[in-house]
Each structure stands twice: as C-alpha cells, then as structure tokens.
Amino acid sequence: MGASQSVLGTLDGKIALVTGASRGIGRGIATALAEAGADLALCARDAEKLAETAELVTNTGRSAECVVADVGDSGSVAEAVVRTLEVFGRIDVLVNNAGVTDDNLLIRMTDDEWERVIHTNLTGTYLFTRAVTKPMMKQRSGSIINIASIIGIMGNAGQSNYAASKGGIIALTKSVAKELASRNVRANAIAPGYIETDMTEELTDEVKQKMREAIPMKSFGVPADVAAVAVFLAGDASRYITGEVINVSGGLLI
C-alpha cells in the first residue's frame, strides 16, 4: 500500500475523469489518483501526450481510457462524459484541470486573447461540471475538484484574463457546492502558486529568482504537491469538506 493510501485511505473502485491530463499538473494528478487506487479517464486534445500519461497510469496497475476532447466545446465534453460512463459505468471524481494562459497588459489585450483564456479555463470547467452533475446526483456521490490559481485570488499584472478565469472558477465552485451538497456531491478548488511545469521552464533565471524571493518557503512547488491535495479531496477523508479553496503556494498568500 502506497503512502497516499495509508494516510488518506484508498480510492479503490473509484473512477476519476481528469481534464488537461496530457502534461504538467494534470498528469501528476492522474498518476497520483491511480497510485491511490482509482481508474482513470484521461482527457486532452493531444492524443500522443495522453497516451504517455495512460502508460504511467497503467504502470500502477490501474486502468486508463484516453478521451480526446476539447473542453471548450459542449458537444465534445458531452461525448467525453458519455464515453467515460460507457467504459467505467460511473464517474466518482472530476478534476477540471485544463487551462491556458495568453498574457498581455490590459491596454494591449485583444478580444481573442481574452476570449481564449476565459473560454478554455472558465467555460471548460463549467461545461464538464454540468456534464457530470446528472450522473453524480443519480448515484448520490461525487467529488468535483477544480484547479484554480492564487492569481484568481490576488490578481497579477498582465494576466487580467487569466485572473478573471480563475477567480470565476472559485465562484463557480462555491455555487456548485451549494447546489449539489444535498445529493452528497462535493465541489472544491485547489489554488496552486508557482509550480514547476513546462510553462515555468520558459521563464528566465532572473524572473525565477525574483518569484522565489516572494515565496515565504523560497521555492517552487511541483505537480506532486497539487496532486496530493487532489487525492485528499477525491477520497472519503474529505467527506465533510465542500465549497473550499485550498492554496498550494508555499505561503505566498500569507
């Protein structure tokens, strides 16, 4: 039994659907859920990268189904949920992780830059959440985990579109939690700080050092730090927690 299972219980028998599972935080969450015992439906647009994540999942002994889907397209989202139900019969956990950035100062931001980020991050979260609501309500159980960001709480210059999308996800999470609590369906958000991913690798050393200095713990997080919280929120150890936002930021919001 792995550490995540012994401390937080097991996710054996649970089915989790993870969006943006092809890389970074999404891949880390998917593999951590598998290590805790869950079988996975993996969603993203990149089939090749999804297959790489699926291999990591199956290496843990769990099942993985790759579902190529566009989170911003309601038809594609509906098909992804139907496919997951056809393969696994139920959805116990939804992780809305898919997201993009398209940074610019507000005065220079184009309509396309605004719409792309809002549509993928916020509308995509809404569409997948709406799509799993009926099956989760019917089975009277479920955990919806939305990946927000500390930027959605504190804001950031040059990221008004991203901040608005992530702040919207937090508000959506709280509203969904209130709507679905009576059916034993929970909704919570994780707000990561600076996490080492492909995106942070593109930053200069000078920018990285400046960012580290602003963090009380003086270091970036890694996908596993976010994944550990997702495992907790997916399982019975968090059965009485809903509508919350858990910051994973090394103390940046202190």
Side-chain angles (χ1 to χ4, degrees), residues 109-249:
M109 186 168 290
T110 66
D111 291 350
D112 285 344
E113 288 169 339
W114 174 268
E115 292 292 344
R116 175 173 177 254
V117 173
I118 296 294
H119 192 69
T120 300
N121 298 1
L122 181 54
T123 303
T125 297
Y126 151 71
L127 289 174
F128 258 103
T129 300
R130 185 181 68 177
V132 303
T133 295
K134 185 176 289 186
M136 283 188 174
M137 289 177 68
K138 186 177 180 180
Q139 68 197 26
R140 288 188 171 272
S141 67
S143 176
I144 297 167
I145 304 167
N146 296 327
I147 306 303
S149 170
I150 60 165
I151 301 304
I153 301 171
M154 62 187 285
N156 197 33
Q159 289 192 306
S160 58
N161 52 0
Y162 185 75
S165 72
K166 294 300 187 175
I169 286 172
I170 290 171
L172 173 65
T173 301
K174 291 178 178 294
S175 296
V176 170
K178 288 187 174 183
E179 285 193 27
L180 303 183
S182 65
R183 297 299 184 93
N184 198 36
V185 177
R186 300 179 294 111
N188 293 285
I190 302 173
Y194 295 112
I195 305 297
E196 291 180 356
T197 63
D198 294 343
M199 286 189 285
T200 55
E201 281 302 310
E202 296 174 2
L203 301 173
T204 65
D205 290 341
E206 183 179 355
V207 170
K208 288 180 182 178
Q209 184 58 32
K210 186 177 180 180
M211 291 165 64
R212 286 193 191 95
E213 287 302 314
I215 302 169
M217 293 186 73
K218 304 303 180 187
S219 64
F220 292 158
V222 296
D225 296 320
V226 182
V229 179
V231 171
F232 167 66
L233 291 174
D236 293 339
S238 60
R239 59 168 293 277
Y240 202 53
I241 298 174
T242 194
E244 294 298 327
V245 182
I246 300 177
N247 300 319
V248 183
S249 65

Side-chain angles (χ1 to χ4, degrees), residues 49-167:
K49 292 290 185 181
L50 269 184
E52 293 175 5
T53 304
E55 184 176 1
L56 294 174
V57 169
T58 56
N59 284 344
T60 70
R62 309 311 306 180
S63 298
E65 179 72 14
C66 293
V67 183
V68 176
D70 179 355
V71 299
D73 181 88
S74 59
S76 181
V77 169
E79 289 175 6
V81 170
V82 168
R83 177 61 179 161
T84 303
L85 292 171
E86 287 175 345
V87 173
F88 295 110
R90 60 188 290 121
I91 299 173
D92 299 291
V93 181
L94 168 67
V95 181
N96 283 307
N97 166 75
V100 297
T101 58
D102 202 345
D103 299 347
N104 210 342
L105 294 174
L106 180 63
I107 196 170
R108 298 174 183 166
M109 186 168 290
T110 66
D111 291 350
D112 285 344
E113 288 169 339
W114 174 268
E115 292 292 344
R116 175 173 177 254
V117 173
I118 296 294
H119 192 69
T120 300
N121 298 1
L122 181 54
T123 303
T125 297
Y126 151 71
L127 289 174
F128 258 103
T129 300
R130 185 181 68 177
V132 303
T133 295
K134 185 176 289 186
M136 283 188 174
M137 289 177 68
K138 186 177 180 180
Q139 68 197 26
R140 288 188 171 272
S141 67
S143 176
I144 297 167
I145 304 167
N146 296 327
I147 306 303
S149 170
I150 60 165
I151 301 304
I153 301 171
M154 62 187 285
N156 197 33
Q159 289 192 306
S160 58
N161 52 0
Y162 185 75
S165 72
K166 294 300 187 175

